[in-house]
């Protein structure tokens, strides 16, 4: 059963969604994320 679609339109079921959230949480916990300040600096170079 589809729960949600990804930004590209790919349908995601409940277990897949849970796995995606867990993986994202692990990336954040390990410091692998972009702060708003870093994003603002990057945007200046676009």
């Amino acid at each position: 059963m589809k729960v949600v679609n990804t930004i590209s339109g790919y349908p995601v079921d409940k277990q897949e969604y849970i796995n995606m959230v867990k993986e994202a949480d692990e990336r954040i916990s390990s410091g692998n994320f972009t702060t708003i300040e870093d994003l603002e600096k990057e945007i200046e170079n676009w």
Side-chain angles (χ1 to χ4, degrees), residues 3-8 10-28:
V3 173
V4 71
N5 287 337
T6 64
I7 195 165
S8 61
Y10 175 76
V12 178
D13 66 20
K14 182 179 178 181
Q15 189 56 51
E16 198 171 2
Y17 181 71
I18 290 170
N19 291 342
M20 291 169 70
V21 171
K22 286 181 180 179
E23 290 171 6
D25 189 47
E26 289 172 5
R27 288 192 304 270
I28 292 167

